[in-house]
Amino acid sequence: YYRGSIAGKKVLVAMTRIGLVNATTVTEAALSRFTCASGISIGAVVFSGVAGGAGRTSVGDVAIPAQWTLDNGATYQPVDPGMLAVAQTLTVQLS
């Protein structure tokens, strides 16, 4: 884990490697380690990664999902509506 700041907000950054299992493992470890008792508490989790777009996205596209699935669409998990609203307002200039 790396501590730092982005736009004045304190952040913890971790590389989870490939796959949802790795992302889950690293996130669960962070939530267990960084608590109010440790002096560093986590208020939100943001995951950035790559995934298949099923032909709807191309390499380099940024997609912000409103929901996701781990079982090929049998069930879906929603994302936090407040975080989704903030993400949808962001604009980034790439070169």
Side-chain angles (χ1 to χ4, degrees):
Y1 300 99
Y2 300 93
R3 295 190 311 178
S5 65
I6 297 174
K9 299 283 186 180
K10 292 180 181 179
V11 297
L12 288 171
V13 177
M15 293 293 289
T16 64
R17 302 194 52 140
I18 295 171
L20 290 173
V21 172
N22 289 337
T24 300
T25 300
V26 172
T27 302
E28 287 174 344
L31 291 171
S32 294
R33 179 177 178 182
F34 301 107
T35 64
C36 291
S38 75
I40 302 171
S41 59
I42 296 173
V45 175
V46 176
F47 175 78
S48 173
V50 297
R56 296 177 303 227
T57 58
S58 298
V59 172
D61 286 350
V62 175
I64 303 170
Q67 60 184 6
W68 52 273
T69 183
L70 290 173
D71 54 15
N72 293 319
T75 60
Y76 287 90
Q77 301 296 318
V79 299
D80 179 275
M83 292 180 74
L84 177 61
V86 169
Q88 290 172 325
T89 67
L90 300 176
T91 322
V92 178
Q93 293 293 89
L94 300 176
S95 57

